[in-house]
């Protein structure tokens, strides 16, 4: 748990890409597929902005909802008792290879630039529908994640590849795709019946030329070099230099152009290592919030990473959010119940909680005398102290020393509270005024049945 990530010691679960073109062999015999719960959305249509390209698509899903801006079309539609897809097809262009039907297109919003070339890496959003269905059977919009693949590699159905090969960047179009260019006579599990024609709305977000193998390998080699230099600095206990190397490698990795799913798998594997290493250096430097940020990035890549959960728990302990630290530590412990470092962190967390509670209730209260106070309103200006006896010099010195120590602690946002029932009025006034003099925030809070003075650091506008 405390080791830096090398090429051998990181595990990541990933799902391999499935090429639908493989399913057409032997006419799909014996093939069955199911959609995950995340892919089957139940969100009411039209309730979430940006999920669907426009409401017009539903005009073509049921005969009752058919609509047209052309009066002659309306009259002909009323005489035509064919299905909604056939009616829509009459307004679309046949783009099938032989011109004999199979894929039809209707441009909704024109794109710009050249048509996307074969072999380019593309990024699209899409919604796909079955006839007479009022919600998509598959949607990148509902998953909030674009689809990325190499055009021409057979990673999606043939009709979708053919459709995209006619598009320009930024274009939004609708396509009707016949069964022989979609899922064939066997369909796809229970979700897509046999011989299903599908309607797709596709938006071409972007496309770029595919980098060569030499380009990708050269880029990966540079990332690994930076990471290994970071490892060397870490072993020499030059933690700040190690962190800088890891951050540099991660930024370079984020800008990497990928060729295919294998490149993406390698990129994710390296990114997981770097995020874990940055989290570890941040633990060594006492940067709790930075630990949390990088550990969360690691969990986005591998939600079952015990190291990410363990380091996330340590990050929350560093910023005194003990409940959240315990939550993530429990998750890590379930994955690795006998891990030495996780069990040691449990003991460290228990000690930190106990120490913090002691400081809140005891360490500062020893300075104060018994006294009740009714004033609980926060003040923006120092309180006049002419009406009360000043605090003793020893008290003033002790408070000032503690306030200065607090200012030096970069990972602590608030001091343990000052209990008002154990302070004289002069002591209270001194603490409040001295805190504000040092640029700290002083406010009164109700803690259980006691009124307390809480001192914290002022938040800057960008926090």
């Amino acid at each position: 748990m405390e080791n830096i990530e090398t090429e051998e010691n990181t595990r990541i679960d990933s799902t391999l890409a499935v090429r639908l073109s493989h399913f057409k062999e032997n006419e799909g015999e014996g093939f069955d597929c199911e959609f995950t719960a995340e892919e089957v959305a139940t969100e009411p249509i039209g309730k979430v902005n940006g999920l669907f390209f426009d409401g017009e698509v539903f005009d073509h899903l049921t005969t009752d909802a058919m609509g047209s801006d052309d009066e002659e079309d309306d009259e002909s539609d009323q005489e035509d008792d064919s299905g909604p897809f056939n009616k829509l097809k009459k307004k679309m262009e046949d783009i099938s290879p032989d011109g004999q039907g199979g894929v039809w297109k209707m441009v909704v919003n024109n794109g710009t630039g050249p048509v996307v070339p074969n072999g380019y890496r593309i990024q699209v959003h899409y919604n796909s529908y079955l006839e007479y269905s009022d919600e998509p059977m598959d949607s990148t919009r509902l998953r909030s994640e674009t689809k990325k693949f190499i055009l021409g590699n057979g990673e999606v159905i043939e009709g979708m590849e053919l459709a995209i090969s006619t598009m320009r960047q930024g274009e939004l179009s609708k396509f009707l795709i016949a069964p022989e260019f979609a899922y064939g006579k066997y369909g796809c599990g229970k979700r897509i019946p046999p011989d299903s024609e599908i309607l797709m709305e596709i938006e071409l977000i972007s496309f770029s030329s595919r980098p060569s193998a030499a380009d990708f390998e050269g880029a990966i080699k540079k990332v690994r070099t930076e990471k290994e230099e970071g490892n060397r600095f870490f072993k020499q206990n030059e933690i700040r230099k190690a962190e800088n190397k890891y951050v540099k490698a991660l930024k370079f990795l984020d800008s990497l152009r990928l060729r295919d799913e294998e490149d993406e798998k390698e990129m994710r594997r390296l990114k997981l290592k770097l995020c874990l290493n940055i989290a570890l250096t941040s633990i060594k430097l006492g940067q709790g919030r930075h630990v949390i940020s990088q550990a969360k990035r690691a969990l986005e890549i591998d939600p079952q990473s015990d190291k990410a959960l363990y380091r996330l728990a340590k990050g929350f302990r560093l910023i005194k959010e003990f409940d959240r630290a315990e939550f993530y530590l429990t998750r890590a412990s379930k994955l690795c119940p006998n891990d030495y470092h996780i069990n040691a962190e449990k003991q460290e967390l228990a000690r930190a909680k106990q120490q913090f509670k002691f400081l809140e209730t005891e360490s500062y209260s020893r300075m104060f005398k018994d006294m009740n106070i009714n004033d609980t309103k926060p003040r923006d200006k120092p309180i006049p102290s002419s009406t009360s006896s000043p605090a003793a010099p020893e008290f003033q010195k002790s408070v000032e020393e503690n306030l200065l120590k607090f200012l030096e602690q970069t990972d602590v946002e608030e001091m343990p509270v000052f209990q008002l029932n154990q302070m004289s009025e002069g002591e209270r006034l001194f603490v409040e005024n001295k805190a504000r003099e040092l640029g700290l925030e002083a406010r009164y809070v109700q803690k259980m049945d006691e009124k307390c003075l809480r001192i914290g650091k002022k938040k800057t506008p960008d926090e």
Side-chain angles (χ1 to χ4, degrees):
M1 292 297 169
E2 299 290 359
N3 295 330
I4 53 176
E5 301 304 312
T6 64
E7 291 301 311
E8 295 80 22
N9 66 355
T10 294
R11 164 185 56 79
I12 176 170
D13 296 328
S14 61
T15 302
L16 296 177
V18 178
R19 296 187 176 183
L20 293 177
S21 60
H22 294 174
F23 304 149
K24 300 184 72 174
E25 299 173 4
N26 301 322
E27 296 185 318
E29 184 177 359
F31 167 67
D32 187 28
C33 70
E34 295 184 2
F35 289 85
T36 63
E38 290 79 5
E39 291 173 303
V40 182
T42 57
E43 185 69 32
I45 300 301
K47 290 295 180 70
V48 181
N49 292 334
L51 288 180
F52 310 110
F53 295 118
D54 57 52
E56 184 185 346
V57 65
F58 301 109
D59 295 343
H60 309 294
L61 298 177
T62 63
T63 53
D64 293 337
M66 284 293 295
S68 173
D69 295 332
D70 191 301
E71 189 173 324
E72 292 183 6
D73 285 341
D74 288 342
E75 293 177 0
S76 62
D77 284 347
Q78 291 175 3
E79 297 174 359
D80 186 356
D81 58 358
S82 61
F85 277 9
N86 282 333
K87 293 178 182 179
L88 175 61
K89 201 175 297 179
K90 295 176 182 178
K91 305 173 186 178
M92 305 178 85
E93 176 189 0
D94 183 358
I95 62 168
S96 55
D98 56 7
Q100 299 300 311
V103 183
W104 294 264
K105 176 178 180 178
M106 175 191 291
V107 176
V108 178
N109 292 323
N110 290 313
T112 58
V115 172
V116 57
N118 211 37
Y120 271 48
R121 182 172 178 80
I122 68 164
Q123 179 179 206
V124 297
H125 260 309
Y126 69 83
N127 300 312
S128 55
Y129 304 86
L130 297 172
E131 193 168 23
Y132 301 106
S133 173
D134 60 355
E135 61 182 45
M137 54 91 170
D138 187 21
S139 171
T140 59
R141 300 276 179 176
L142 290 174
R143 291 195 296 273
S144 299
E145 183 179 5
T146 58
K147 174 71 175 177
K148 300 174 184 177
F149 62 96
I150 304 298
L151 187 63
N153 270 18
E155 298 176 50
V156 296
I157 58 173
E158 186 178 353
M160 185 175 179
E161 286 209 329
L162 180 59
I164 293 172
S165 69
T166 68
M167 300 181 71
R168 305 173 191 274
Q169 183 159 325
E171 179 182 328
L172 167 63
S173 293
K174 300 176 184 178
F175 300 90
L176 274 174
I177 303 176
E180 58 268 28
F181 289 89
Y183 298 95
K185 64 180 182 180
Y186 291 99
C188 183
K190 299 178 181 179
R191 191 66 177 171
I192 304 175
D195 291 317
S196 291
E197 192 170 31
I198 62 173
L199 172 66
M200 294 194 75
E201 281 190 320
I202 303 175
E203 181 182 15
L204 180 56
I205 306 296
S206 64
F207 62 88
S208 60
S209 61
R210 186 182 185 186
S212 67
D215 291 337
F216 181 78
E217 288 302 323
I220 289 295
K221 184 177 179 181
K222 184 175 179 179
V223 171
R224 287 177 177 150
T225 298
E226 294 291 338
K227 184 173 76 68
E228 289 307 316
E229 287 184 10
N231 291 352
R232 178 169 57 83
F233 281 128
F234 187 91
K235 291 173 183 177
Q236 294 171 355
N237 205 33
E238 297 186 68
I239 306 302
R240 182 69 69 181
K241 289 182 179 180
E243 182 183 52
N244 290 340
K245 286 293 182 180
Y246 296 142
V247 170
K248 184 177 179 180
L250 185 59
K251 287 181 178 179
F252 190 79
L253 201 58
D254 283 336
S255 64
L256 207 59
R257 290 172 57 201
L258 308 176
R259 297 168 299 167
D260 49 33
E261 296 292 339
E262 287 301 314
D263 284 359
E264 184 167 0
K265 182 180 177 181
E266 176 66 8
M267 183 270 290
R268 286 166 61 85
R269 189 179 70 85
L270 282 172
K271 186 177 287 188
L272 177 61
K273 292 175 183 288
L274 289 167
C275 289
L276 289 173
N277 283 358
I278 296 171
L280 180 56
T281 57
S282 297
I283 289 171
K284 298 289 187 182
L285 295 170
Q287 300 171 333
R289 298 193 184 280
H290 202 197
V291 176
I292 293 166
S293 172
Q294 293 303 318
K296 284 184 174 180
R297 286 192 69 179
L299 284 174
E300 288 174 2
I301 300 169
D302 181 8
Q304 297 301 311
S305 171
D306 49 353
K307 289 185 178 180
L309 291 166
Y310 162 74
R311 291 174 189 175
L312 183 56
K314 294 197 77 159
F316 279 116
R317 174 173 63 78
L318 287 173
I319 65 170
K320 306 294 189 294
E321 293 192 25
F322 300 123
D323 289 341
R324 298 179 75 177
E326 189 169 9
F327 171 77
Y328 288 106
L329 197 58
T330 300
R331 285 182 57 186
S333 183
K334 287 180 180 179
L335 293 171
C336 299
N338 299 319
D339 186 87
Y340 168 79
H341 296 291
I342 291 176
N343 291 327
E345 177 61 20
K346 286 181 180 179
Q347 297 176 12
E348 184 64 31
L349 178 60
R351 283 194 295 268
K353 289 171 69 174
Q354 186 177 12
Q355 182 182 21
F356 186 79
K357 184 176 181 181
F358 172 77
L359 287 174
E360 267 201 332
T361 57
E362 298 293 337
S363 70
Y364 290 100
S365 65
R366 286 193 302 238
M367 302 185 228
F368 312 137
K369 301 175 182 178
D370 291 338
M371 180 172 183
N372 290 318
I373 190 81
N374 295 321
D375 187 0
T376 61
K377 296 180 180 179
R379 294 180 172 84
D380 297 325
K381 298 180 180 180
I383 308 168
S385 57
S386 58
T387 59
S388 60
S389 300
E394 295 81 4
F395 176 89
Q396 294 184 24
K397 181 180 178 182
S398 177
V399 168
E400 186 169 4
E401 287 177 352
N402 279 280
L403 290 174
L404 290 171
K405 286 180 182 178
F406 169 61
L407 278 170
E408 293 173 357
Q409 293 177 293
T410 58
D411 61 329
V412 179
E413 299 295 328
E414 290 185 340
M415 295 181 72
V417 295
F418 291 83
Q419 296 176 336
L420 298 186
N421 65 354
Q422 297 183 20
M423 299 171 66
S424 70
E425 186 174 0
E427 290 167 343
R428 175 180 67 86
L429 296 176
F430 177 79
V431 172
E432 182 176 354
N433 289 336
K434 178 55 70 172
R436 292 204 168 97
E437 180 185 318
L438 294 172
L440 297 169
E441 183 182 71
R443 57 193 175 91
Y444 293 98
V445 296
Q446 188 77 25
K447 191 172 179 65
M448 301 298 288
D449 295 330
E450 298 178 358
K451 293 166 185 173
C452 305
L453 176 61
R454 187 178 290 281
I455 307 297
K457 293 172 183 173
K458 291 184 178 179
K459 290 182 168 35
T460 55
D462 59 341
E463 288 185 326

